[in-house]
Amino acid sequence: AGVDFLTNDITKPYWETGGKICEVNIQAGIDGMSPDPENSGFHFEQVFSLMFPEGTRTAIPMVVILEDGPSKTVAALNDVFKSQNLMVGRKTTTEVSIGNNLLVDVMGNAASEAVLWNPMIDAAIIQETAKSIEAYGLAYSVSECVILPRMPSNNDPETVKKILSTLTQTAVQAVVYNTDDKQLSDWVRSNDQERYYPVSLT
Amino acid sequence: KEKTEQMAILLALRAAEIMDIP
């Protein structure tokens, strides 16, 4: 659909300008503004090359870590991102933050959405637990990378397998897992192992 | 405890490497 939006300054977010949607069209086409069959698609090309310049990445790094309690992996990854001066959005089991700012009174999937939809962030770290996925599902269908530090132990084994499958299916780039965890390794072996990257202390 | 920390760092670095983050 095409959404017509009125604002007095398109460079600013709507919550600053107070802009409003005035019309929604079901068969939108910006080429209609200057119809020219020879240059069909020209305007779209301009829009897309502005939004996604060639060679730049079009998605921010988004990593999901499946781990209970305070996660050292979350902390380590946060350090890596921060060392690259990236603005990190984080949802952990204890806090939700954008950079150094804590978001209060937001939990669960709403917290994941608050992080992932925040236009300020350059990278996202989402911590999940098997229990929360079992209870509430996921707030997203795609992630870049899923990290599995250990096999979740506080759920019934069949449920854990379902949770692992659901979560790892979101990873478009990779699933990085601790191969020193025997149960986790066994689970990976029983799966399609493409895109799985083992990490071992030995 | 130290092993958990080492593993955490290795996992984070591997993920960053895959995502082309130096």
Side-chain angles (χ1 to χ4, degrees):
Chain A
V3 180
D4 292 357
F5 181 76
L6 292 177
T7 173
N8 53 18
D9 188 350
I10 196 67
T11 65
K12 289 181 179 161
Y14 73 87
W15 57 86
E16 286 180 19
T17 61
K20 291 276 188 291
I21 292 170
C22 63
E23 194 176 342
V24 178
N25 303 293
I26 54 164
Q27 284 191 315
I30 53 174
D31 276 9
M33 288 188 286
S34 57
D36 177 2
E38 296 271 303
N39 287 318
S40 177
F42 172 72
H43 291 103
F44 285 109
E45 193 185 320
Q46 281 193 314
V47 170
F48 277 91
S49 53
L50 180 71
M51 290 169 75
F52 309 109
E54 214 175 320
T56 57
R57 65 190 301 155
T58 53
I60 61 165
M62 173 190 168
V63 185
V64 183
I65 294 158
L66 183 70
E67 192 168 25
D68 288 333
S71 165
K72 288 188 169 23
T73 316
V74 168
L77 196 64
N78 191 50
D79 288 344
V80 173
F81 284 152
K82 275 175 84 174
S83 72
Q84 298 302 309
N85 291 321
L86 298 176
M87 173 67 91
V88 186
R90 284 189 304 166
K91 190 214 84 168
T92 72
T93 48
T94 51
E95 65 180 45
V96 189
S97 60
I98 306 294
N100 293 326
N101 299 314
L102 289 179
L103 304 186
V104 293
D105 291 339
V106 58
M107 289 167 67
N109 284 353
S112 298
E113 289 187 345
V115 167
L116 295 171
W117 284 95
N118 192 301
M120 297 272 288
I121 65 167
D122 304 312
I125 302 172
I126 305 290
Q127 183 184 1
E128 301 283 6
T129 65
K131 279 215 155 133
S132 71
I133 296 175
E134 184 182 2
Y136 306 111
L138 298 172
Y140 43 86
S141 54
V142 171
S143 68
E144 192 162 2
C145 188
V146 167
I147 301 181
L148 305 173
R150 65 180 62 82
M151 193 69 161
S153 56
N154 53 352
N155 301 61
D156 134 75
E158 284 310 306
T159 310
V160 168
K161 283 179 189 167
K162 276 185 200 159
I163 290 165
L164 287 173
S165 301
T166 305
L167 181 63
T168 54
Q169 273 169 24
T170 68
V172 293
Q173 283 255 27
V175 176
V176 180
Y177 70 100
N178 173 5
T179 188
D180 294 344
D181 185 309
K182 194 183 172 301
Q183 277 182 299
L184 198 54
S185 277
D186 288 348
W187 177 78
V188 172
R189 262 195 294 279
S190 68
N191 266 279
D192 165 28
Q193 289 171 47
E194 218 185 313
R195 297 179 296 118
Y196 279 69
Y197 295 81
V199 169
S200 170
L201 283 181
T202 53
Chain B
K1 197 172 179 185
E2 201 173 278
K3 278 190 173 176
T4 313
E5 201 153 330
Q6 284 173 1
M7 176 52 75
I9 293 167
L10 286 178
L11 289 167
L13 290 175
R14 190 77 178 101
E17 185 189 358
I18 290 162
M19 293 183 300
D20 277 338
I21 288 157

